[in-house]
Amino acid sequence: MLKRYRGAWIGYLFLTPWLIGFFGLILGPMIYSLYLSFTDYSLLEAPKWIGLKNFETMFQDRNYIDSVKVTLTFVLWAVPLELIAALAVALLLNKGIRGIGIYRTMYYIPSLLGGSVAIALLWKNIFGVDGLINQVLAYFGIAGKGWVSHPDYALYTLIILSTWQFGSAMVIFLAGLKQIPSELYEAAEVDGANRFQKFWRITMPLLSPVLFFNLIMKIINSMQVFTSSYIVSEGTGGPINSTLFYTLYLYLKGFSHFEMGYASAMAWLLLIFLAILTGILFLTSKYWVYYEDGGRS
Amino acid sequence: MRRRFLSVLVILMMAFLAACGGGNSNTNNTPPSSAGNNPSANTDGANNSGVEQIELRMAWWGGQERHDRTLKVIELYEKENPHIKIIPEYSGFDGYFDKLTTQFAAGNAPDIIQYGGNLNDFVARGVVLPLDDYVGEIIDLSKHSQSMIDAATIDGKFYGVTLGTNAFGLILNKTLFEEAGIPLPSKDWTWDDFREITKQLSDQLNGIYGTAVWTEDGFGIFLDQRNKVVHINGEIAFDEEDVRDYFQLWKELQDIGAAANAELQASAAQTPEQSLIVQRKVAMELIASNQFGAYQNATEDELMLFIAPINPETGRNGISLRPSQFLAGYAGTEHPEEVAKFLNFFVNNIDAGLILGNDRGAPVNTDVLKALIEDANEIDQEVFSFIDWVAETSDAPYVPNLPGYNETTALFRRTMEAIAFERMAPEQGAADYYKQLLEITAKYTEE
């Protein structure tokens, strides 16, 4: 028994850089932020313990409620749209056409650039009152809107921006598609299956673990969306809170309103919500995610 | 196997998320009260040549022009004081105070810091260096006007030198007035004239509005015209009906097409280059006078500064002379005396003043101002004569920002937007605003 562990310290030695990083930069700050979430902490003065007051205030804070609504709306639209786009393009690119590498790269580029400040700025200009979109619309005699400055449209413009960055999900779908054995399709064809049957009976079940992975990743990512709104609304979440994402409000609370305790409480509530949501998705997964090995690990 | 791998990945991602969310708050575990005792890393530059080498860090925000001018003054100072090295930390306005706040929390804020009207928020948190010990000996305020000294005096202590005298003013696009064939307003115009002229401008100019909506800054002017102020030492000093009238005034101007509509107004960016007036979307906009140069340089059109319309009942135009910005020290600085010397140089040295020009407002030191006026170009002349105009026509007191400025400003803008987009009637908006404003200011004054 002891023999087995004798050389273990060498392993830990190799792990130290990561362990230091994990304890110093992740676990330590996390525990401290948990403490802060029960305090009134203005950043410039020592934290004051106030128990659960931050959490109580949250549910009376109209801006907080707005930010939850905005974020949930965003997730409900952006996640399905992005997954559908990613899957559709992955299916297209899974065929052997000439120059396929170029197409793959081209579709992937937006997701490399998409989270960046430059793209958000570009987006702001394209969808601005005088932007490209409105100029094109004007050419057809349609009066444009302030796509990012009207509370009815601003959020949806950001949803389109995020959908456009489907590249990373697409690459994972592509990898999943490559894993599906072609014999299955050949056998299905012999049995006279049409395209839809092949898609729903072979592709989807075999792709479901990848879809599940993408779904969870996208939900987690979308809950934390920040840059696009920060840039497009100039950090206000406006007009009238219509793009006040959860993390943007968290940031405003912490750094602009000097309420870091409140901001920490928001972060923890988001973490707990995501943990529960992910847990529920894992529970449902046995009804719709199909593992070739029967889910045994 | 695959499933377990996925679970691990997901859990790791969530751990990362929590660290991102909370980690920001955790720049330092040391309470800021002890921050002053931390030797800051960059002051270790003492060498053996006898004179102690001192490094000071200086932070400010602004556009390129301000950066260039400020850097030149730093250079000049270093030349005259070879043992001082000043490390500049400059940026645009976006994120400037966010970064500063983090630095305060971490106890490594710059020694010399530029503030705006929010100086009081930082004084209240004990991070600004009181300068009373240095006034007279090191910092010479004898040539500064009393009102600018008062502006930096909070609870009886003096906290910063004022970088310039400023006033809100209307910027008029003269070229657009000519294109519309409308004469410039008279110097004692009233709100009725304002309404008429802006409406005419909108009618004559295709797709251009008479005026941009005045936001919170305009509300201060509006209140002064009623012989009221926004607050006295953090206590709200106006009534719900005042803000209701203001909201109604602007909603009406938007409804008749005289003022920029909701969408256009919401798209207005804060930089002069992207502003509605430079983009030729409106013919008038309310700005701070020191920004006039930046606006004029961003457009081919001819712009001019003009006084606000007066309230005929009180005869007031409500425009006050105000400090543009302050330069102040960090309470935790290692070298308070050197900081004070630099502050003195920055506002009182004539060469420095000539380099800085009008970028942060008209210099507060009368000698520097005189030298600058002799030297001034056309744009600066316009600003100086506007400042004179304000000084002659208005005795409006300077009212510092509300406590909790970031939060209250956001509330004001959001309410005006909600009214403009017709989500709320002005009455409802005013009631909502007033109630929330009292809640927010109570939070800041109770401490």
Side-chain angles (χ1 to χ4, degrees):
Chain A
M1 245 340 242
L2 270 175
K3 219 173 173 182
R4 255 184 85 188
Y5 292 103
R6 198 175 291 160
W9 67 272
I10 297 184
Y12 284 110
L13 189 69
F14 276 108
L15 275 176
T16 12
W18 186 82
L19 286 175
I20 291 171
F22 179 73
F23 286 105
L25 298 175
I26 297 180
L27 202 62
M30 266 182 80
I31 291 167
Y32 190 62
S33 88
L34 182 62
Y35 160 67
L36 285 181
S37 66
F38 298 106
T39 65
D40 177 8
Y41 178 39
S42 75
L43 273 176
L44 308 179
E45 291 146 321
K48 257 188 303 198
W49 184 267
I50 51 164
L52 288 171
K53 198 168 160 238
N54 282 330
F55 296 93
E56 285 161 23
T57 325
M58 243 178 250
F59 295 101
Q60 291 150 24
D61 179 351
R62 287 195 241 176
N63 296 321
Y64 178 80
I65 293 163
D66 279 350
S67 79
V68 170
K69 281 189 201 155
V70 166
T71 310
L72 288 178
T73 314
F74 180 83
V75 170
L76 283 176
W77 282 97
V79 173
L81 281 176
E82 200 178 331
L83 288 181
I84 290 168
L87 182 57
V89 176
L91 286 170
L92 278 175
L93 294 185
N94 194 31
K95 303 210 171 91
I97 6 172
R98 208 191 302 174
I100 191 77
I102 296 171
Y103 290 118
R104 276 183 204 156
T105 314
M106 274 169 46
Y107 282 110
Y108 189 63
I109 283 177
S111 69
L112 286 178
L113 304 173
S116 74
V117 171
I119 292 295
L121 275 175
L122 179 71
W123 217 252
K124 184 179 176 180
N125 286 322
I126 290 177
F127 285 90
V129 176
D130 271 344
L132 185 68
I133 300 278
N134 281 349
Q135 285 171 15
V136 172
L137 287 177
Y139 187 75
F140 293 104
I142 303 166
K145 295 273 176 195
W147 301 109
V148 289
S149 63
H150 193 294
D152 286 347
Y153 311 113
L155 180 60
Y156 296 95
T157 311
L158 297 186
I159 289 172
I160 297 170
L161 170 62
S162 119
T163 308
W164 179 64
Q165 304 158 35
F166 56 75
S168 62
M170 177 200 76
V171 168
I172 298 172
F173 275 133
L174 255 176
L177 288 171
K178 296 270 179 233
Q179 295 291 314
I180 301 175
S182 53
E183 308 96 81
L184 295 177
Y185 292 109
E186 285 156 18
E189 267 165 44
V190 171
D191 291 342
N194 64 25
R195 266 201 211 172
F196 285 101
Q197 285 168 323
K198 279 195 285 182
F199 178 75
W200 287 110
R201 297 289 166 88
I202 299 173
T203 312
M204 279 313 274
L206 289 175
L207 206 56
S208 59
V210 178
L211 179 65
F212 182 54
F213 174 79
N214 269 339
L215 177 69
I216 289 182
M217 284 303 150
K218 282 299 151 202
I219 289 178
I220 293 175
N221 276 334
S222 305
M223 285 280 185
Q224 300 176 69
V225 61
F226 175 81
T227 320
S228 54
S229 162
Y230 182 75
I231 300 296
V232 170
S233 72
E234 299 198 343
T236 64
I240 337 176
N241 285 352
S242 62
T243 61
L244 187 68
F245 289 133
Y246 196 94
T247 50
L248 178 60
Y249 188 52
L250 190 157
Y251 173 83
L252 288 177
K253 271 288 163 198
F255 290 97
S256 170
H257 304 175
F258 307 113
E259 291 179 49
M260 198 46 90
Y262 190 93
S264 297
M266 281 184 69
W268 274 89
L269 219 57
L270 177 62
L271 175 70
I272 293 165
F273 177 77
L274 274 177
I276 293 173
L277 189 68
T278 314
I280 291 172
L281 282 171
F282 265 95
L283 286 179
T284 65
S285 72
K286 66 175 171 214
Y287 300 107
W288 63 275
V289 179
Y290 173 81
Y291 293 97
E292 263 180 290
D293 60 4
R296 289 178 305 259
S297 40
Chain B
M1 179 62 214
R2 207 186 294 178
R3 184 189 283 183
R4 183 169 294 170
F5 171 69
L6 289 180
S7 335
V8 170
L9 252 181
V10 166
I11 289 164
L12 280 179
M13 286 292 288
M14 295 205 312
F16 186 64
L17 151 76
C20 287
N24 292 336
S25 60
N26 191 30
T27 12
N28 192 358
N29 299 1
T30 333
S33 54
S34 69
N37 307 329
N38 295 342
S40 59
N42 54 52
T43 46
D44 296 340
N47 61 16
N48 303 326
S49 67
V51 185
E52 196 198 355
Q53 283 291 322
I54 293 173
E55 287 189 356
L56 298 174
R57 288 153 62 211
M58 175 184 182
W60 73 88
W61 79 85
Q64 191 54 45
E65 191 169 316
R66 181 176 299 166
H67 298 331
D68 294 343
R69 288 168 186 247
T70 311
L71 290 172
K72 258 193 228 164
V73 170
I74 289 177
E75 223 170 87
L76 184 68
Y77 189 74
E78 286 175 341
K79 217 194 274 168
E80 291 183 14
N81 303 275
H83 67 295
I84 304 279
K85 171 107 185 74
I86 294 177
I87 302 164
E89 295 181 8
Y90 51 91
S91 68
F93 185 72
D94 278 352
Y96 174 83
F97 281 106
D98 302 345
K99 183 181 166 199
L100 206 55
T101 308
T102 321
Q103 288 177 323
F104 283 133
N108 64 349
D111 303 282
I112 303 160
I113 299 167
Q114 175 181 322
Y115 292 94
N118 55 358
L119 178 69
N120 52 358
D121 273 348
F122 287 88
V123 168
R125 294 192 159 81
V127 293
V128 185
L129 179 72
L131 296 171
D132 300 275
D133 292 350
Y134 309 102
V135 170
E137 283 169 57
I138 298 180
I139 302 178
D140 178 12
L141 298 176
S142 58
K143 299 266 167 67
H144 295 206
S145 84
Q146 190 58 39
S147 66
M148 292 299 120
I149 298 171
D150 291 347
T153 306
I154 297 164
D155 292 335
K157 284 188 186 161
F158 179 70
Y159 285 100
V161 291
T162 302
L163 292 176
T165 309
N166 226 358
F168 286 116
L170 268 180
I171 192 166
L172 306 188
N173 187 327
K174 246 173 151 175
T175 314
L176 283 179
F177 269 82
E178 279 161 26
E179 279 177 27
I182 293 169
L184 291 172
S186 71
K187 292 197 167 190
D188 51 359
W189 60 332
T190 64
W191 279 97
D192 284 338
D193 300 330
F194 179 78
R195 184 196 168 97
E196 204 159 300
I197 291 171
T198 48
K199 175 82 176 96
Q200 280 173 2
L201 283 162
S202 296
D203 290 344
Q204 296 297 320
L205 300 163
N206 188 19
I208 299 174
Y209 290 92
T211 178
V213 175
W214 302 8
T215 52
E216 198 182 18
D217 300 332
F219 182 55
I221 297 169
F222 181 83
L223 277 181
D224 184 86
Q225 296 187 351
R226 297 183 160 196
N227 283 317
K228 290 187 181 182
V229 290
V230 177
H231 70 107
I232 300 165
N233 294 327
E235 296 280 336
I236 300 301
F238 63 92
D239 301 309
E240 187 185 314
E241 58 182 43
D242 295 315
V243 71
R244 186 196 62 208
D245 292 347
Y246 187 72
F247 288 157
Q248 254 163 0
L249 168 79
W250 285 101
K251 182 71 178 87
E252 234 177 86
L253 286 166
Q254 287 184 310
D255 284 344
I256 61 169
N261 70 15
E263 273 171 68
L264 189 62
Q265 187 61 39
S267 74
Q270 288 170 355
T271 55
E273 293 78 12
Q274 300 282 314
S275 65
L276 294 178
I277 190 152
V278 167
Q279 300 283 316
R280 280 189 145 230
K281 296 285 176 198
V282 298
M284 290 181 214
E285 197 168 326
L286 187 71
I287 64 159
S289 59
N290 67 311
Q291 288 190 296
F292 180 74
Y295 278 80
Q296 180 62 78
N297 288 332
T299 175
E300 301 272 294
D301 291 350
E302 195 183 344
L303 307 179
M304 66 183 294
L305 274 169
F306 211 80
I307 204 92
I310 59 166
N311 180 337
E313 279 167 38
T314 59
R316 297 175 73 84
N317 61 34
I319 303 278
S320 63
L321 289 178
R322 32 194 310 125
S324 62
Q325 283 132 23
F326 304 97
L327 206 57
Y330 170 40
T333 180
E334 293 261 287
H335 309 286
E337 206 176 304
E338 292 299 336
V339 167
K341 282 183 193 163
F342 182 78
L343 298 186
N344 181 62
F345 177 84
F346 205 80
V347 289
N348 290 330
N349 183 289
I350 292 195
D351 291 330
L354 288 177
I355 294 172
L356 292 169
N358 196 33
D359 185 65
R360 289 184 175 91
V364 286
N365 179 316
T366 42
D367 290 347
V368 177
L369 181 63
K370 220 185 282 167
L372 195 60
I373 287 175
E374 281 166 20
D375 199 51
N377 62 22
E378 224 172 285
I379 293 176
D380 284 350
Q381 294 283 13
E382 172 84 22
V383 178
F384 292 135
S385 59
F386 179 71
I387 297 282
D388 280 347
W389 184 2
V390 172
E392 281 162 21
T393 58
S394 174
D395 62 348
Y398 161 64
V399 181
N401 284 348
L402 271 167
Y405 174 73
N406 292 336
E407 211 173 341
T408 50
T409 306
L411 175 65
F412 197 91
R413 192 198 46 246
R414 200 164 57 234
T415 311
M416 272 194 107
E417 278 174 356
I419 294 167
F421 281 109
E422 302 192 327
R423 303 291 157 93
M424 268 181 197
E427 298 78 20
Q428 173 71 35
D432 264 27
Y433 169 79
Y434 200 74
K435 183 167 160 278
Q436 293 183 62
L437 180 71
L438 291 178
E439 284 169 14
I440 294 172
T441 46
K443 199 168 63 185
Y444 283 89
T445 43
E446 76 194 3
E447 286 158 18

